[in-house]
Amino acid sequence: MDAIDEAIIAELERDGRLTNVELAQRVGLTTGPCLRRVQRLEADGVIRGYRAVIDPASVGRSFEVLIDLGLESQDAETVEHFERTLAEAEEVLELRRMFGSPDYFVRVAVADLPAYEAFLSGRVMTIPRIKNVTSHFTMKTIKPAPWG
């Protein structure tokens, strides 16, 4: 990757809907070479996709909770079941297995506190071998993730 590739990536991170003509103008290329570079970045997996960033309140998911979660056991069956169950939950925006403690970091978005309680009680706490759950409620988002 060179400086032009980095400029292309930066522009597309700011606005993934740029036309190739607009992108080429912004990074100082003609349209053909710009398109070839974008296609190469896509083929190489540097650009993994394009998406719309949706206002959470508009779709009833403005209540975000960060969860630290520990399991009683790290055997393959327990881990696979836990990860599969939470990865399938539409409320889960992000699921990370961590080194050390906690075992998992989960980012959840629901409509409100009662919806979170229902998710926690009905979905999370029904998974076998959960040791502990700590919920963190955001007071204020200072710098949101670039994907929403």
Side-chain angles (χ1 to χ4, degrees):
M1 280 204 350
D2 61 14
I4 294 174
D5 287 342
E6 290 172 0
I8 288 170
I9 291 166
E11 291 297 334
L12 289 174
E13 283 182 319
R14 277 191 280 285
D15 183 358
R17 293 185 60 147
L18 286 174
T19 66
N20 186 56
V21 173
E22 293 170 318
L23 180 60
Q25 288 172 345
R26 290 186 185 188
V27 300
L29 290 175
T30 58
T31 56
C34 184
L35 181 59
R36 284 191 293 278
R37 282 177 177 261
V38 169
Q39 289 171 334
R40 180 180 42 78
L41 290 167
E42 291 169 344
D44 291 349
V46 175
I47 297 174
R48 298 189 314 189
Y50 303 87
R51 64 181 55 95
V53 178
I54 308 301
D55 174 42
S58 298
V59 292
R61 299 184 69 180
S62 60
F63 190 75
E64 191 172 291
V65 183
L66 307 175
I67 305 170
D68 292 338
L69 198 140
L71 299 178
E72 290 176 358
S73 173
Q74 300 294 320
D75 65 274
E77 183 180 337
T78 298
V79 168
E80 288 170 13
H81 177 68
F82 171 79
E83 290 179 0
R84 184 177 56 254
T85 301
L86 279 191
E88 291 171 355
E90 70 178 44
E91 298 90 344
V92 175
L93 301 177
E94 188 175 357
L95 173 61
R96 295 178 182 226
R97 187 184 320 168
M98 309 299 286
F99 285 105
S101 183
D103 296 326
Y104 289 89
F105 169 84
V106 187
R107 193 170 134 232
V108 174
V110 293
D112 52 24
L113 185 57
Y116 176 65
E117 194 279 327
F119 168 75
L120 189 63
S121 299
R123 191 81 153 177
V124 177
M125 299 310 288
T126 60
I127 301 171
R129 311 204 74 187
I130 289 182
K131 181 170 58 175
N132 57 13
V133 175
T134 303
S135 301
H136 303 277
F137 301 97
T138 301
M139 179 186 305
K140 177 181 176 183
T141 300
I142 309 305
K143 181 177 180 179
W147 58 89

